[in-house]
Amino acid sequence: MRCPYCGYPDTRVIDSRPAEDRSSIRRRRSCDECGKRFTTYEKVETIPVIVIKKDNNREQYDRAKIEAGVLRACYKRPVSAADIQKVVEAVEIEVFNREEKEIPSSEIGEIVMDKLKDLDPVAYVRFASVYREFKDVNTFMSELKKILDK
């Protein structure tokens, strides 16, 4: 592993343990050249999942897109970065556990909304308003009523 500080091509592993999500390994490393320490995460490579978009285009699953959507929904909300990462991880686990090579973006959106509903109701409504493309106030209000009735 190359050192991110000095670029030296050889580093030592000091400590290895499962990461919090239990799906990757956290490694503490030390550079023999500059002496600095850093952390890396090792994850098992999975079969690429293809996402079928609304317009029937296909693209490879991208965790960063899920993360960006959840971050936008949780903007200025009392939601910790750790909770956001847990939601993204839970969505990703659910998508990959289906063991399908292709998954519609609508299913991924529903999974994200389900996780956000438990995390923060305002973030859920924000995400739903973009995802479900609310056209007017009435559709927005009907979604709010669903939350309030529960």
Side-chain angles (χ1 to χ4, degrees):
M1 180 80 210
R2 185 177 295 277
C3 175
Y5 301 105
C6 69
Y8 190 69
D10 197 25
T11 57
R12 275 184 297 121
V13 174
I14 298 169
D15 180 43
S16 275
R17 65 180 68 170
E20 288 178 21
D21 62 5
R22 300 274 179 220
S23 67
S24 58
I25 296 174
R26 177 184 183 272
R27 297 194 194 279
R28 257 332 253 161
R29 296 179 176 269
S30 174
C31 177
D32 293 333
E33 186 69 18
C34 68
K36 292 194 177 181
R37 293 180 175 198
F38 58 98
T39 303
T40 60
Y41 292 90
E42 188 175 303
K43 197 169 194 159
V44 174
E45 195 169 29
T46 56
I47 336 163
V49 173
I50 303 299
V51 178
I52 304 168
K53 308 295 280 182
K54 288 178 185 176
D55 61 359
N56 275 337
N57 281 338
R58 286 167 164 69
E59 62 182 49
Q60 195 163 345
Y61 171 83
D62 184 4
R63 176 191 174 104
K65 287 188 175 187
I66 305 293
E67 197 168 15
V70 172
L71 280 169
R72 271 193 305 273
C74 294
Y75 182 68
K76 291 193 177 181
R77 294 296 305 151
V79 178
S80 70
D83 287 340
I84 290 171
Q85 287 305 312
K86 284 178 189 172
V87 166
V88 172
E89 195 65 40
V91 168
E92 194 167 73
I93 287 169
E94 199 166 321
V95 166
F96 284 109
N97 281 348
R98 292 178 182 222
E99 295 182 2
E100 297 172 5
K101 291 183 179 176
E102 293 186 338
I103 184 168
S105 62
S106 58
E107 283 185 36
I108 296 174
E110 293 297 328
I111 295 168
V112 172
M113 286 194 303
D114 186 49
K115 304 297 181 197
L116 282 176
K117 196 181 291 183
D118 298 334
L119 181 68
D120 185 72
V122 173
Y124 163 75
V125 172
R126 284 178 177 172
F127 188 88
S129 69
V130 173
Y131 172 71
R132 292 204 174 126
E133 298 174 349
F134 292 170
K135 300 290 184 220
D136 56 22
V137 176
N138 293 329
T139 48
F140 194 79
M141 288 304 291
S142 67
E143 194 66 38
L144 286 175
K145 285 178 186 172
K146 286 181 194 174
I147 293 175
L148 294 174
D149 290 343
K150 289 184 181 177

